[in-house]
Amino acid sequence: MMNDNSIIKKVRRHFDFWNIVKYLSIILLFIFLVYPLFTIIFKSFINADGEFSLKYYKTFFTKPYYYRTLFNSLKVCILTTILATLIGVPLAYITTRYNIWGKKIINLLIIMSLMSPPFIGAYSWIMLLGRNGFITNLFAKIGITMPPIYGFGGIILVFTLKLFPYIYLYVSGAMSSIDRSLEEAAENLGSSKLRRILTVTIPVIMPTLAAGAIMVFMSSLADFGTPMLIGEGYKVLPVLVYEEYMSEMGGNANMAGALSVVIVFCSTAVLLIQKYGVSKKNYIMTALRPPIVEKLSTGKRILLTAISMFIALVAFLPQVVVIVTSFIKTNGPIFVKGFSLESYEKIFYKLSKNIANTFTFSIIAILIIVVFGMLISYLVVKRKSKINSLLDLMIMFPYVIPGAVLGICMLVAFNKPPLILSGTPAILIAAYVVRKMPYTIRSSSALLYQIEPSIEEASINLGVSPMKTFFKITARMMLPGVLSGAILSWITTINELSSSIMLYSGKTATISVAIYTEVVRASFGTAAALASILTVTTILSLLLFNWVTKGKGSVI
Amino acid sequence: MSHSVKICNVIKRYSDFTAVDNISCEIKEGEFFTLLGPSGCGKTTLLRMIAGFNSIDGGEIYFGNKVINNIDAHKRDIGMVFQNYAIFPHMSVFDNVAYGLKARKVPKNQIEGRVLEALDLVQIKNLKDRKPNELSGGQQQRVALARAIVIKPGVLLMDEPLSNLDAKLRVQMRTIIRKLQRDLGITTVYVTHDQEEALAISDRIAIMKSGKIMQLDTPTDIYKKPKNTFVAGFIGTSNFLDAKVTYDSGMKPSIKFEGGVEYPVKLKRKLDSVTVSIRPEQFTINNPDGKGIPGQIQMYTFLGDFANYEIKLANGQTVEANEYTKDIDFVRKIGDKVRLDFNPDKVSLFDQDGMEAYL
């Protein structure tokens, strides 16, 4: 009897609050991340007769129709990364080191274009440079034929403008935290300015630049909306995944599974190269004396301001285009002269369900993200153990899974017993939570690392139990980090297309799905009105983010 | 109410080393007890075991007659002052101090009175509505102290509470802490690596090294009668000189240095050689024709009330010796030949293992 009692006591002791949270999180992540992922990996190795087979991989690597998309994707990613670096690095140098005008506005425009809905760029550049685009038509009137925007060039244009902000934000952060003395030392040792930049400044920011480049590479590898809209014949991997899966609806998902495995393999490989190749050389800098901001002569100052402002405005242009076109009168698919609110009338009449869906699903997802994000980041930061490191790894894994792939994984896993979720709001919410939780976890963790353990110990020691201490002290102190992370999670959730497009059903379609289908249907006015709703919500959320973080928050 | 703390054969192991190695001692009710030692000696580990933040891997800790090994940290009724103060940044000074009272469900009408009383004791009543980020380091320290004493804890634990303050404030605060502790009669365990602080503030000091207590004594005994070479070297400055032991016909021992100087000593047992520990102020510096061990001045530092000399002995060893300004008319110069004399009854003798060997 004694023995039984003490075992029960031990078990009870073990199942304290934090262990329950830990096991619950692990179970949920297994159900909604590991299980779907393994289902798809498993499927990719099974042929129609249910036997082990490499036939889908063989098909992929032997048929040009398939393997060409891998090359296409890699070409797009590499070129985008190079171009984004070529724009982002000099721009970061100019804004951090020279006294150009309007730095704050340039920064804000660039952040907004990064956080804008992912497919708005493609839509807007089609509006401007497409077959019937404003600029195309303008030039046609004076007899100039614009090169076609569709295909490889268009994808590169849109990706570069959309993603160079990653490089810009990462690098300008690093540039302004190089201590002045480092460059002064180089100058003092007799280096010319160019030599100094090449031998000191660039190598020191290299790891940060690499981190930014990885973000560009991964985002361009994962993005689905842009190549789908503007790529036309130029097929990249995520588009192929979507088409394969959609054409196989009702059949098996094996080929799509094999493609998904290839994509995840590529992005994991790139991430690992960055992690083990570059991050070893990470120089931790705390600038006691931030670098000098050089005063330019008026002429140079105007020139550099104009160049920087031009880049920022071009990057921001899609959002202006979207908002403007949403107010233009339409006649079916064609824009006509004059302004009106009819596009908005149409969406409120026809598509209000989508709007309600986006906001309902996103709010539910964010609530779950906030609660679990807070608890999990606490486990990972403050209660280090093997299981909690595993939790950390699982939480961050969705970084390497493109939305379309996660969508397929979940669809395949949850359209059959034991858990049937396909077509329900739950499957969309689950996908959002899994994909967007890392933002909240990262910013909560960053804040948690700054909270000294003695703060909690002081509370415990004054007679408050560890669990109550978490809610009375730690959670309160984490709040700014959680909130700013949650806003980023929120922005990316409302704009999410790639997993939504896989998982939606008639009843659960969201705004981004509707924009996509409206564009495909050439109903540009309503698409613009919907996109404007997202854009305005995004801008308002960013302003809230700025207010919460007192302007010191970083969106990357 | 305050109670004694008894530590019996307490052990703390980490995977590859033993941080606290079978320590036993008793801290009396109302005593100011200091754990002193170099970093990594296990003093903070032991303190955190008393607080309940580190588990106890062996032995028992008693509060009064009660074993507290399995009592959760938040039920131990301890006041603790942390090295970095650990003030709750989102609460005012008043709310910080009231925090422990609220957790104890003290009636609301009593909380205000007790908080103000505690703030008054540490002389910051006027700051009660401030937020922590508006306080200086010294003021934060006082808040931490008020927060720990307001709950009238059974034991007060302090983990290097003064190490983040500047020298002047440190001296001021330690006087306040000492007075407060004596007035309230709280059993206090204090951790520090600063020997001067420990000597100034404590009733008794436990000097620790590698998880063991090397000596547990009052400050004066620690300084005057170190039990081993570690304590002699750690507290104050000591010169260690090797000497041969010779015995006369009556088996009375003497220590003999190079150059033939001899001093009669009292030893616990028969030894062939000893290490003599002599503090700089225990030397008398004589002219070359006087008594003592011969040496030559290498360096001098004049410090106002005394001059400190580095003196090279015949065997090549360098020792430190002080000479007080009031006793001398001139400062010795580099290169001067001198002889170093001392009173053999006042110095400490250790055997080859570094343990005390004198009576």
Side-chain angles (χ1 to χ4, degrees), chain A residues 272-329:
Chain A
L272 289 180
I273 290 170
Q274 189 250 346
K275 192 164 176 157
Y276 294 102
V278 186
S279 68
K280 264 187 211 150
K281 281 194 260 165
N282 212 345
Y283 313 99
I284 295 166
M285 290 271 159
T286 39
L288 295 174
R289 299 186 314 143
I292 300 174
V293 177
E294 213 172 302
K295 293 216 163 64
L296 294 167
S297 62
T298 315
K300 275 190 183 165
R301 199 174 176 195
I302 291 171
L303 182 71
L304 287 184
T305 305
I307 292 174
S308 312
M309 198 58 99
F310 176 74
I311 296 173
L313 282 174
V314 170
F316 184 67
L317 189 61
Q319 299 183 67
V320 179
V321 170
V322 156
I323 292 175
V324 171
T325 50
S326 73
F327 290 107
I328 296 179
K329 264 193 196 159

Side-chain angles (χ1 to χ4, degrees), chain A residues 427-442:
Chain A
I427 198 167
L428 282 163
I429 293 169
Y432 295 161
V433 170
V434 169
R435 260 172 76 66
K436 310 302 181 187
M437 182 125 73
Y439 292 97
T440 303
I441 300 231
R442 261 209 325 194

Side-chain angles (χ1 to χ4, degrees), chain A residues 248-536:
Chain A
E248 288 178 19
M249 272 304 263
N252 58 54
N254 311 48
M255 190 67 216
L259 294 174
S260 305
V261 171
V262 170
I263 302 188
V264 172
F265 181 83
C266 288
S267 48
T268 311
V270 171
L271 193 72
L272 289 180
I273 290 170
Q274 189 250 346
K275 192 164 176 157
Y276 294 102
V278 186
S279 68
K280 264 187 211 150
K281 281 194 260 165
N282 212 345
Y283 313 99
I284 295 166
M285 290 271 159
T286 39
L288 295 174
R289 299 186 314 143
I292 300 174
V293 177
E294 213 172 302
K295 293 216 163 64
L296 294 167
S297 62
T298 315
K300 275 190 183 165
R301 199 174 176 195
I302 291 171
L303 182 71
L304 287 184
T305 305
I307 292 174
S308 312
M309 198 58 99
F310 176 74
I311 296 173
L313 282 174
V314 170
F316 184 67
L317 189 61
Q319 299 183 67
V320 179
V321 170
V322 156
I323 292 175
V324 171
T325 50
S326 73
F327 290 107
I328 296 179
K329 264 193 196 159
T330 54
N331 178 13
I334 298 160
F335 287 104
V336 294
K337 271 213 166 114
F339 290 95
S340 84
L341 287 173
E342 68 181 304
S343 294
Y344 287 95
E345 277 163 30
K346 255 189 227 154
I347 60 166
F348 284 113
Y349 172 67
K350 232 175 56 180
L351 297 166
S352 60
K353 181 75 188 158
N354 301 58
I355 299 169
N357 279 346
T358 288
F359 287 100
T360 325
F361 300 165
S362 300
I363 287 170
I364 296 172
I366 290 303
L367 290 178
I368 299 172
I369 286 174
V370 164
V371 172
F372 274 92
M374 223 161 155
L375 296 173
I376 291 175
S377 63
Y378 184 84
L379 281 177
V380 170
V381 175
K382 296 282 180 184
R383 306 221 152 191
K384 291 211 160 73
S385 72
K386 274 187 190 140
I387 295 184
N388 290 340
S389 322
L390 174 74
L391 198 58
D392 192 22
L393 193 74
M394 280 162 68
I395 283 292
M396 294 305 161
F397 197 62
Y399 266 133
V400 297
I401 309 176
V405 171
L406 185 75
I408 288 187
C409 291
M410 286 197 149
L411 207 52
V412 171
F414 299 123
N415 65 3
K416 58 174 200 292
L419 197 54
I420 302 179
L421 294 175
S422 53
T424 65
I427 198 167
L428 282 163
I429 293 169
Y432 295 161
V433 170
V434 169
R435 260 172 76 66
K436 310 302 181 187
M437 182 125 73
Y439 292 97
T440 303
I441 300 231
R442 261 209 325 194
S443 80
S444 325
S445 303
L447 218 134
L448 257 181
Y449 276 113
Q450 294 168 13
I451 302 178
E452 304 238 14
S454 60
I455 290 270
E456 289 190 334
E457 287 171 0
S459 162
I460 292 169
N461 160 78
L462 287 166
V464 176
S465 70
M467 186 181 114
K468 273 194 188 163
T469 293
F470 175 78
F471 288 106
K472 285 177 98 160
I473 304 289
T474 322
R476 290 285 301 279
M477 291 176 66
M478 280 167 76
L479 215 53
V482 175
L483 218 55
S484 58
I487 295 172
L488 295 183
S489 293
W490 159 259
I491 292 173
T492 51
T493 304
I494 57 170
N495 292 329
E496 170 74 9
L497 173 69
S498 50
S499 60
S500 309
I501 199 107
M502 295 289 172
L503 296 171
Y504 84 97
S505 65
K507 277 185 200 158
T508 61
T510 59
I511 296 180
S512 51
V513 171
I515 297 174
Y516 175 73
T517 48
E518 293 296 292
V519 170
V520 168
R521 229 183 267 159
S523 177
F524 293 116
T526 44
L530 287 169
S532 300
I533 294 177
L534 286 186
T535 302
V536 169

Side-chain angles (χ1 to χ4, degrees), chain B residues 340-351:
Chain B
L340 292 172
D341 190 26
F342 59 89
N343 178 350
D345 294 336
K346 301 275 185 187
V347 301
S348 313
L349 306 177
F350 302 101
D351 63 18

Side-chain angles (χ1 to χ4, degrees), chain B residues 75-190:
Chain B
K75 292 178 184 153
R76 289 194 186 182
D77 194 27
I78 287 172
M80 185 155 174
V81 179
F82 294 83
Q83 185 168 13
N84 56 5
Y85 321 134
I87 307 291
F88 307 131
H90 57 297
M91 296 181 188
S92 68
V93 167
F94 185 94
D95 289 336
N96 261 284
V97 179
Y99 189 84
L101 295 175
K102 285 179 187 156
R104 281 168 176 70
K105 308 243 163 12
V106 171
K108 268 212 170 101
N109 52 6
Q110 291 176 30
I111 287 181
E112 180 163 7
R114 281 178 65 177
V115 169
L116 293 180
E117 188 189 0
L119 289 175
D120 202 23
L121 282 173
V122 295
Q123 302 157 15
I124 49 164
K125 207 170 168 180
N126 54 326
L127 303 179
K128 69 181 170 66
D129 297 320
R130 292 264 187 99
K131 273 283 165 71
N133 57 10
E134 301 164 343
L135 300 177
S136 69
Q139 290 167 335
Q140 288 192 27
Q141 170 73 80
R142 287 167 197 244
V143 177
L145 195 58
R147 189 176 68 181
I149 57 169
V150 74
I151 58 172
K152 301 190 174 138
V155 192
L156 181 61
L157 305 181
M158 298 187 160
D159 185 7
E160 310 224 11
L162 305 181
S163 60
N164 289 342
L165 301 178
D166 65 53
K168 206 172 156 194
L169 209 52
R170 203 149 51 205
V171 173
Q172 199 185 347
M173 275 312 290
R174 82 180 181 213
T175 317
I176 291 178
I177 290 174
R178 182 59 173 139
K179 252 191 93 211
L180 208 60
Q181 187 270 343
R182 203 168 282 165
D183 291 348
L184 301 172
I186 305 178
T187 312
T188 300
V189 186
Y190 188 98

